[in-house]
């Protein structure tokens, strides 16, 4: 599996898997969250622009949304 590669792809993936929130909040390289398309356990979708964020997927209740290769 690969990480979702854009904000638009993140929102499309959220719709495809039936998430409650499918409007991704854009963040620019928040170092406290995983990079890429993330979904929090409290129904919050975000795109964290991948630059230098180094937090692992699943940290602090934030899961990464991936796609099949």
């Amino acid at each position: 599996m690969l990480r979702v590669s854009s904000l638009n792809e993140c929102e499309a993936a959220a719709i495809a898997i039936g998430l409650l929130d499918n409007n991704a909040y854009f963040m620019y390289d928040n170092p406290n969250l995983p990079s890429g398309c993330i979904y929090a356990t409290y129904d919050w979708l975000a795109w964290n622009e991948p630059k230098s964020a180094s937090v692992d997927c699943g940290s602090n209740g934030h899961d990464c949304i991936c796609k099949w290769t």
Side-chain angles (χ1 to χ4, degrees):
M1 293 177 69
L2 299 172
R3 290 211 181 172
V4 169
S5 58
S6 71
L7 183 135
N8 289 338
E9 196 174 57
C10 180
E11 292 177 337
I15 291 168
I17 61 176
L19 296 177
L20 293 176
D21 184 3
N22 54 37
N23 188 14
Y25 179 79
F26 179 83
M27 294 180 289
Y28 184 76
D29 194 30
N30 183 327
N32 300 313
L33 298 171
S35 63
C37 186
I38 54 176
Y39 196 72
T41 55
Y42 47 89
D43 298 321
W44 179 74
L45 182 70
W47 173 257
N48 189 22
E49 187 68 27
K51 298 293 181 201
S52 63
S54 61
V55 176
D56 291 332
C57 292
S59 296
N60 301 323
H62 295 91
D63 295 317
C64 296
I65 297 177
C66 298
K67 60 184 176 180
W68 292 103
T69 58

